[in-house]
Amino acid sequence: MENFYTNDNCPIRDVLSRLGDKWSMLVLVTLNANGTMRFSDVHKAIADISQRMLTVTLRTLEADGLISRKVYAEVPPRVEYRLTELGESLMPRVQMLVDWALEHMGEIMKHREVMVK
């Protein structure tokens, strides 16, 4: 039997809890697909996220080193986000999950319908 780290020291739990929230993967996929984006463009691309939740998600991803934030000294201020090298290194793995989800979504929805009945 393979044992894992305790809760306080488990890199698997730590990373998955940060990336497994409702919005982080969508933000990463959006930045990966579009390149450098302004806050308002990310918000338009993920229409159902609130501005506050997008701000929190971007700050968390920035704190983990997955995205970078660049502020331009303009009026009004312009802020752009992009994937870092670390974030880019994650994207092939995320894309595999995205591809799997797209391939199997119909089957998953059928199973959910059966469970609801």
Side-chain angles (χ1 to χ4, degrees):
M1 177 169 83
E2 186 173 349
N3 291 321
F4 292 96
Y5 300 90
T6 63
N7 274 349
D8 296 339
N9 196 25
C10 182
I12 298 166
R13 285 185 186 112
D14 183 63
V15 170
L16 289 179
S17 70
R18 294 295 283 253
L19 296 177
D21 65 28
K22 186 174 180 178
W23 302 109
S24 292
M25 289 286 192
L26 287 173
V27 169
L28 291 170
V29 169
T30 300
L31 289 173
N32 187 55
N34 296 294
T36 302
M37 297 178 76
R38 295 177 74 166
F39 181 93
S40 60
D41 294 329
V42 177
H43 192 244
K44 287 175 192 170
I46 309 173
D48 55 338
I49 189 171
S50 69
Q51 286 188 2
R52 180 177 178 346
M53 193 76 253
L54 179 56
T55 299
V56 168
T57 302
L58 289 167
R59 285 182 184 159
T60 300
L61 293 171
E62 183 183 11
D64 285 348
L66 298 173
I67 66 170
S68 66
R69 177 180 185 263
K70 186 171 182 180
V71 180
Y72 293 88
E74 300 173 354
V75 178
R78 178 171 48 120
V79 180
E80 293 181 339
Y81 297 90
R82 68 170 187 81
L83 293 175
T84 61
E85 192 174 314
L86 181 62
E88 289 173 356
S89 74
L90 174 63
M91 293 318 297
R93 288 118 179 122
V94 171
Q95 191 59 52
M96 287 174 47
L97 181 58
V98 168
D99 293 343
W100 183 90
L102 292 171
E103 180 181 343
H104 295 286
M105 195 62 208
E107 185 179 350
I108 291 169
M109 295 308 289
K110 287 178 186 175
H111 284 283
R112 288 181 185 175
E113 289 173 14
V114 170
M115 292 300 295
V116 171
K117 292 179 182 179

